[in-house]
Amino acid sequence: MERFVASDSPEEGTTVNAPSKWTGRGACRTLAPDALFVQGQEQNRAKSVCLGCHVRTECLAYALDNREEFGIWGGMTERDRRALLRRRPTVTSWRRLLETARTAHEQIDADSDHRQTA
């Protein structure tokens, strides 16, 4: 049985970014689980489910932090994730990195909206 922890760095034998906190809000929640574990051209169709998903960041962070080897997670294939992990080997918490980036992006959007209405 896996143990879920709300930690910034994974400990051996644990899973971070507990999926039960966000999976029920995912765009894929009504799909058969196998729909996200496909090969070849079907991966593009599976990835399209993630477009506009409200928990895409959490999903991708979970897959990266836990080194999920298979399936589409947060709009990325296993090949996409492996390449990202190779490019950024020093990242210790993808959850923290992606949430920080999302917050900064949302702030920029809010500032832009405020300037347009002023």
Side-chain angles (χ1 to χ4, degrees), residues 47-106:
K47 285 168 50 172
S48 70
V49 172
C50 304
L51 298 175
C53 179
H54 297 291
V55 294
R56 185 175 181 176
T57 300
E58 291 85 347
C59 181
L60 180 57
Y62 172 83
L64 292 167
D65 281 336
N66 293 291
R67 305 303 193 260
E68 285 291 339
E69 293 184 34
F70 304 103
I72 304 297
W73 293 83
M76 293 184 85
T77 65
E78 52 267 23
R79 177 179 279 178
D80 297 332
R81 293 190 307 276
R82 280 193 306 269
L84 182 56
L85 290 167
R86 278 193 304 273
R87 283 194 309 269
R88 302 288 302 272
T90 59
V91 174
T92 58
S93 172
W94 286 96
R95 179 179 59 99
R96 184 174 50 217
L97 178 78
L98 293 175
E99 288 176 355
T100 300
R102 179 178 56 192
T103 300
H105 180 73
E106 289 170 350

Side-chain angles (χ1 to χ4, degrees), residues 35-46:
L36 299 174
F37 294 86
V38 293
Q39 297 290 322
Q41 195 62 20
E42 292 178 39
Q43 289 182 328
N44 289 331
R45 198 170 19 257

